[in-house]
Amino acid sequence: MRTPYQNRFADIEPLLAHVEKPSRYINHEWGTLSEQDASYRACLIYPDVYDVGLPNQGIAILYAALNRAPGISCERGYIPWVDMADAMRTAGIPLLSLEGAAPAASFDVVGFHIPHEMAVTNVLEGLDLAGIPKFAADRGEDDPLVIAGGPSIYNPEPYCDFFDAILIGEGEEQIVEFCEIHRRLRDEGRSRAEILLELAKVGGVYVPPLYEVRHDELCTRWGYTVPVDGAEVPPVVYKRVVRDFGATDPLAQSIVPYTELVHDRLSVEVLRGCARGCRFCQAGITYRPVRERTADQIVSSVMRGLEKTGYDEVSLTSLSTTDHSCVKEILTRLNHRLEGTGVSVSVPSQRLDSFGVEMALAVAGEKKGGLTFAPEAGSQRLRDIINKNVTEEDLERAVHAAFEAGWRRCKLYFMMGLPGETDEDIVAIAELADHVLDIAREVVPKGQRGGLSVSVSVAVFIPKAWTPFQWCAQLDDDEVKRRQQLLLKSVRNKAVRVHYHDAETSLIEAVLSRGGRALAPVILGAWERGQRFDAWSEHFELDRWLDAAAACGIDLREVAHEEFPLDARLPWEHTSPGVSRGFLEREWRRALAGKTTADCTRESCTGCGVCPTLGAENVLIGERS
């Protein structure tokens, strides 16, 4: 029998005085939407703590969409921090939803958002706390359907065995259709197997038990995935895309939290997609095509959201907000409407040119803290390989304009271990950072130079599925550490601060980004050895992952550092964002030749294949500069 739906807040209330941030576990925040008396219930779980998960826009969009649907109630769940999780296990209390404090196992469907690969051990933590079998194959008729979605499911294979279904692509229409069909089939008394077979026919829904891995053609060690014999399911599951993006509500966020969040502000999605074509960037492929909202819609949504929530800051979110064709008009109108209110506007993604600085100036007012740019590589040769399509002159003009306009701190983002990188490219990062500081000292008057700083943040390149670099190996982690030390030694000015990502967590991310189903026992083994909250440095221990992999006969470094043959079938090609393999191969060859490819929203179509495959197209409100 399924766990009954009941409010069990009284069970966890005695624990709250003994754990960190008890406000993570109480409900009745302003703006919640669920109705506990609905006939069909969904619980959406973000695999991290409340203060990290609540601001997530993807969860907010799906939460709002499901609660608008007649007869469906959607609640939220988060992973309790280690102190609370241990206390709940000791007390025999399962994972509970937030709104109704109901056992997660009592819902019809439990959905996990997958924001990044390192969240996967927290998925197992959530399932274990909930008392739901971790593997889909072990679940019975009374267990809820366990589904997943989010930005990091474009290679679902390493963790697909944990889910009954995985929703590929944009979910606001898809998840409602999925739940309505599930409800109808449930009410008809269909079996779990019959229900999953029908749900596999919903666009963008991948049901892993209906597919199998084969090795009978040229492929990687992980094989390739096809429908099981006799299963009437699509050989390739293409992502769902919202074609009429302008018809959706920009204001998904409605809940005002009791506690301070990681991103504690109102968020309004101003556009979706990016066509700049950086060859390392998975989101730049998987969020295509580009669709902009109108200036009227954005401005009115901001004002409505501020009135509903009382925030004093609003963020205009997207992959590339300053690429919006009407961004200047939008910021001008918002500044006029918000003048004298004390409300500030932030733009999270900054163009690396003087126009980007102009737009930053339009939202900064008197608050000129720091400005961030992302050259990604130190040399022009390497920027051409990755198709960054910016020059050192662009950066010089941008930082000159920024410091002249009053900024005193500048942050530069780079990657290390990119295809074709040499020691000279590492040294070039240091030289570029030093050059930026020289420009600052040249522009800023002597009496104001005391607060000048330039910081460098260097991530480790991760080869991601469905990018032109998906065939590449990750740099050996010992070599990453050597290059990190080379960078530190190459910076000549003490006012330039260098930060870099941990090579060991990057190793695991690469393994999960490019592996196959055989990694599921490794993930389980890492969790059983104590891994949870892998994205938190104080909880990540590489040895647990290495031990779990060794027990399965897998060398994780060998996995991460392996190049894939260009003509091999890849483990993720049965779930597609719509881009053609031919386009990715062509972009890889252009990278080897150091040739760049233009942005299709500014020039002609580049032939990526997304628009014709998905039946969608770029939607621009005006002409992009």
Side-chain angles (χ1 to χ4, degrees), residues 182-246:
H182 180 212
R183 177 177 57 184
R184 175 176 59 79
L185 297 172
R186 177 204 65 180
D187 292 347
E188 291 174 1
R190 301 285 193 95
S191 69
R192 191 181 189 90
E194 291 173 326
I195 289 172
L196 288 173
L197 183 59
E198 288 300 309
L199 290 171
K201 299 172 184 177
V202 176
V205 174
Y206 169 46
V207 178
L210 300 177
Y211 293 76
E212 63 182 1
V213 178
R214 295 182 182 172
H215 293 82
D216 55 357
E217 294 184 20
L218 178 62
C219 58
T220 72
R221 70 172 74 192
W222 309 107
Y224 63 98
T225 302
V226 297
V228 299
D229 289 340
E232 295 182 4
V233 293
V236 177
V237 179
Y238 289 102
K239 80 162 189 172
R240 281 286 283 268
V241 62
V242 176
R243 293 179 178 85
D244 191 358
F245 179 61

Side-chain angles (χ1 to χ4, degrees), residues 591-608:
L592 294 176
K595 294 181 179 179
T596 61
T597 300
D599 179 338
C600 69
T601 64
R602 291 176 170 82
E603 297 190 21
S604 60
C605 173
T606 56
C608 75

Side-chain angles (χ1 to χ4, degrees), residues 210-464:
L210 300 177
Y211 293 76
E212 63 182 1
V213 178
R214 295 182 182 172
H215 293 82
D216 55 357
E217 294 184 20
L218 178 62
C219 58
T220 72
R221 70 172 74 192
W222 309 107
Y224 63 98
T225 302
V226 297
V228 299
D229 289 340
E232 295 182 4
V233 293
V236 177
V237 179
Y238 289 102
K239 80 162 189 172
R240 281 286 283 268
V241 62
V242 176
R243 293 179 178 85
D244 191 358
F245 179 61
T248 63
D249 187 355
L251 193 64
Q253 187 177 356
S254 64
I255 296 169
V256 181
Y258 288 129
T259 188
E260 185 177 357
L261 306 178
V262 173
H263 299 291
D264 205 8
R265 59 183 73 96
L266 176 71
S267 296
V268 174
E269 187 183 23
V270 299
L271 68 90
R272 192 170 290 179
C274 176
R276 285 186 169 259
C278 298
R279 291 174 177 137
F280 58 82
C281 181
Q282 187 181 60
I285 293 290
T286 59
Y287 280 81
R288 294 185 182 196
V290 174
R291 287 144 292 160
E292 297 180 344
R293 297 193 188 277
T294 66
D296 287 347
Q297 188 182 34
I298 293 166
V299 173
S300 63
S301 297
V302 167
M303 302 311 296
R304 178 164 52 97
L306 293 173
E307 182 181 0
K308 286 175 62 176
T309 62
Y311 277 109
D312 61 2
E313 182 180 354
V314 58
S315 178
L316 305 180
T317 63
S318 77
L319 293 176
S320 52
T321 296
T322 48
D323 280 340
H324 194 295
S325 58
C326 300
V327 66
K328 191 170 186 177
E329 176 194 345
I330 292 164
L331 294 177
T332 300
R333 289 173 59 179
L334 284 176
N335 283 338
H336 176 71
R337 295 284 297 273
L338 298 173
E339 186 176 3
T341 65
V343 176
S344 62
V345 180
S346 64
V347 177
S349 47
Q350 205 60 55
R351 274 171 55 168
L352 207 162
D353 57 17
S354 54
F355 179 77
V357 175
E358 182 184 348
M359 293 303 96
L361 187 61
V363 300
E366 298 300 317
K367 301 176 182 178
K368 296 184 181 70
L371 205 54
T372 300
F373 297 109
E376 306 293 0
S379 71
Q380 190 59 48
R381 179 191 64 85
L382 194 52
R383 282 193 291 274
D384 289 345
I385 287 175
I386 66 176
N387 203 49
K388 186 61 185 177
N389 276 321
V390 296
T391 65
E392 188 164 331
E393 290 72 25
D394 292 326
L395 179 62
E396 288 175 350
R397 285 192 293 269
V399 298
H400 190 283
F403 287 112
E404 195 169 53
W407 274 276
R408 297 295 176 259
R409 291 185 283 117
C410 181
K411 188 170 187 178
L412 304 174
Y413 278 117
F414 295 92
M415 280 193 177
M416 179 175 290
L418 288 162
E421 183 182 84
T422 66
D423 280 4
E424 287 73 19
D425 297 303
I426 301 299
V427 174
I429 294 175
E431 292 173 345
L432 196 56
D434 285 329
H435 183 46
V436 168
L437 185 63
D438 289 341
I439 292 173
R441 287 173 171 168
E442 175 187 326
V443 172
V444 177
K446 284 186 178 180
Q448 301 176 24
R449 292 178 186 171
L452 287 179
S453 73
V454 174
S455 63
V456 171
S457 180
V458 186
V460 178
F461 164 69
I462 311 290
K464 295 280 189 176

